């Protein structure tokens, strides 16, 4: 999967997660793929980094990466679902039946 050349954002295919590296730590969202669908299963931000919008940045970059790679997103993680509900511009990347 190609990355969007953002030094702070990484697609770590070895452990199946998207990572956002920031001073003080790393937030990540776990995924698995089935064909052209990508299932986002769990988002985690270290406690020390919470409340700074880092998870939102991570999900935005993850969704953009999925879109750039022609993937359809299945938001199994409640935070991802919440993010898409709050940012309807991303609804077009969701799998049919997962429209928020």
């Amino acid at each position: 999967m190609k990355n969007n050349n953002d030094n702070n954002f990484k697609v770590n295919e070895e452990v199946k997660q998207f990572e956002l590296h920031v001073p003080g730590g790393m937030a990540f969202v776990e995924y698995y793929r089935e064909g052209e669908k990508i299932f986002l299963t769990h988002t985690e931000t270290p406690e020390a980094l919470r409340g700074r919008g880092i998870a939102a940045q991570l999900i935005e970059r993850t969704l953009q990466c999925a879109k750039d790679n022609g993937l359809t997103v299945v938001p199994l993680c409640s935070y991802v679902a919440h993010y898409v509900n709050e940012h309807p511009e991303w609804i077009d990347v969701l799998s049919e039946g997962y429209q928020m």
Side-chain angles (χ1 to χ4, degrees), residues 1 25 34 36 40 54 57 63 65 71 75 86-87:
M1 187 175 341
E34 289 182 3
E36 297 305 308
L40 302 179
I54 292 169
Q57 291 174 42
L63 294 173
C65 184
L71 300 173
E86 298 295 315
H87 298 89

Side-chain angles (χ1 to χ4, degrees), residues 24 36 48 59 76:
E36 297 305 308
I59 299 307
L76 300 180

Side-chain angles (χ1 to χ4, degrees), residues 25-42:
M26 175 192 72
F28 63 88
V29 58
E30 296 172 339
Y31 73 89
Y32 68 91
R33 267 183 81 170
E34 289 182 3
E36 297 305 308
K37 286 189 178 181
I38 189 159
F39 297 77
L40 302 179
T41 61
H42 176 71

Side-chain angles (χ1 to χ4, degrees), residues 69-87:
N69 283 279
L71 300 173
T72 301
V73 174
V74 180
L76 300 180
C77 168
S78 61
Y79 183 80
V80 175
H82 172 77
Y83 182 88
V84 174
N85 273 335
E86 298 295 315
H87 298 89

